[in-house]
């Protein structure tokens, strides 16, 4: 996974987050990841990118790596195309990542999770626009994606 950042604090956070996501995904411990884009000065949620993760089980074991990569590339192109109709905002942005961890994973790792991660709100957008994006599946998981965005006044 490639991350390009100049800010060492951000880079450290992203590396720690990706390591933890890899760990939780490998044990089927996550059912949703949400990237929240916010207005930096007002903290108002502008966009909410959802990635719902479901265990595929035995159904997809014959899927080849190049087919999986093709689906992921198609999703990335779809995400890029969505930017053409999302409302523009000139304000500075910041982001949060919300990870919905399965209850049994939280309970079995409560001490570590409390030391390392914070509880969060959901950052929902009331009466916003929503777009379902392409889905993809690996040999083990299917990922359903969507974006909800704040409508401009």
């Amino acid at each position: 996974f490639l991350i390009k950042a100049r800010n060492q604090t951000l880079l450290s956070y992203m590396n720690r987050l990706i390591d933890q996501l890899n760990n939780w995904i490998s044990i089927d411990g996550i059912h949703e990841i949400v990237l929240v884009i916010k207005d930096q000065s007002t903290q108002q949620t502008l966009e909410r990118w959802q990635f719902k993760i479901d265990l595929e089980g035995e159904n997809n074991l014959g899927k080849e790596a190049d087919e999986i990569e093709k689906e992921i590339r198609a999703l990335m192109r779809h995400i890029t195309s969505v930017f053409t109709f999302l409302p523009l905002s000139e304000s500075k942005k910041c982001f949060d990542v919300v990870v919905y961890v399965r209850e049994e994973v939280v309970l079995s790792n409560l001490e570590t999770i409390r030391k390392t991660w914070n509880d969060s709100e959901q950052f929902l957008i009331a009466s916003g626009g929503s777009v379902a994006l392409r889905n993809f599946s690996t040999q083990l998981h299917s990922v359903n994606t969507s974006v909800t965005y704040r409508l401009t006044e």
Side-chain angles (χ1 to χ4, degrees), residues 27-31 101-110 113:
I27 61 169
D28 192 34
I30 297 175
H31 59 89
V101 180
R102 297 191 192 287
E103 184 176 7
E104 59 274 13
V105 173
V106 172
L107 293 176
S108 64
N109 297 287
L110 196 56
I113 291 173

Side-chain angles (χ1 to χ4, degrees), residues 2-7 10-11:
L2 175 67
I3 299 176
K4 188 172 183 176
R6 291 186 189 133
N7 183 313
L10 174 62
L11 191 57

